[in-house]
Amino acid sequence: MIPTLYKSALHPREVRALLKLKIKGQQYAVPKKPLEELVPRLDDEAFCYAALSKVSRSFAVVIQQLPENLKNAVCVFYLVLRALDTIEDDMKFPKEEKVELLKNFHKKSYDENFTLKNTGDQEDYRALLEHYDKVIRFFKSLDAGYRDVIVDITEKMGNGMAHFIEKEVKSVDDYNLYCHYVAGLVGIGLSDLFSASGLEDPELKNRYELSNSMGLFLQKTNIIRDYHEDLSSDRSFWPEEIWGKYTRELSFFTENPKSSESLACLNEMVMDALGHVPDVVDYLSLLKNESVFRFAAIPQVMAIATLAAVYNNPRVFTGAVKIRKGLAARLILYDLSLEETLNYFRKYSRVLLRKPPTGTTEHQKLLQWSKALSKKINNVF
Ligand code: MG
């Protein structure tokens, strides 16, 4: 806690938010004990919320602030997709069985006997799958409209993940398709759930492209930030069509983090992700319910703050670049209007523009992007 406070020392509102979150944290406490140890004391619903706070960290707080009905649906949706991702990421899982399971995972949605042992690279993920029957029972208590959305997205995502178990991300099209499967579908599914809840326009679920961009922007940000971590686990989602312009081996960047090639490649990746921001602005402008808005907007603000931190930053290639926890605390605790959200977007576009350009064309692109963004934001009001 102390080092976190120190990092936010120049931002008094963040210090207040961090302390308040610590106090309010009792209300949304992340249980200290591992999930496995908590199981005997918890009914299905309580298990799902304990699992959620374990596997999604601070995001659980924002989910728990959603209106009751929708909250349960989003909680289950998150856990089902977390289970799929745990299977996808388990490198010890035999490949053929993994592909089969990913493709058929949606068929387990109503099977109260389904559990999976020894799957996942983290203790809490393993516990989630070992007691997955609890998630299934809670799922079955949801309204039919929510259940249909969850099964539909699970089927599409499972098939997409299976496709990429057998095929690497090479072209920019592959990259966009992979991100669509693992994140764009989350955005699309959430829009479906929002429409089904009656809290948002029934038409929101038809804003397929905008919903997809909401997911792609977050996923691409993570893929860029996680370059080093992913490469250490012997995988990468950076498309060769982009990095191949700068090097013959992706690991060149780790060995030469400050080289102009490394930084130019990183910046091209960031620029590609920033291309989704106009859709994000359009999507957020459509939302009507305050808590749905916060739930949708907070991760997007965190993402643009992350991109501003990684842009032109050689540390991406050698470790983890993290943004201050205080920003997350402040976003989670205080009301967040559309106007404030868009002010954050303006702020981080200025931060990006102040970074020293590695090339004139690159700076031009950033400048054009930023001008188009302010024009879009000005049109919202
Ligand atoms: Mg994964």
Side-chain angles (χ1 to χ4, degrees), residues 349-367:
S349 80
R350 283 195 300 271
V351 173
L352 279 159
L353 275 176
R354 279 201 299 268
K355 298 231 177 170
T358 41
T360 351
T361 24
E362 187 186 294
H363 195 71
Q364 279 304 322
K365 274 188 203 156
L366 196 56
L367 202 61

Side-chain angles (χ1 to χ4, degrees), residues 85 88-89 178 235:
D85 188 49
E88 185 207 19
D89 289 350
Y178 177 74
R235 59 180 188 182

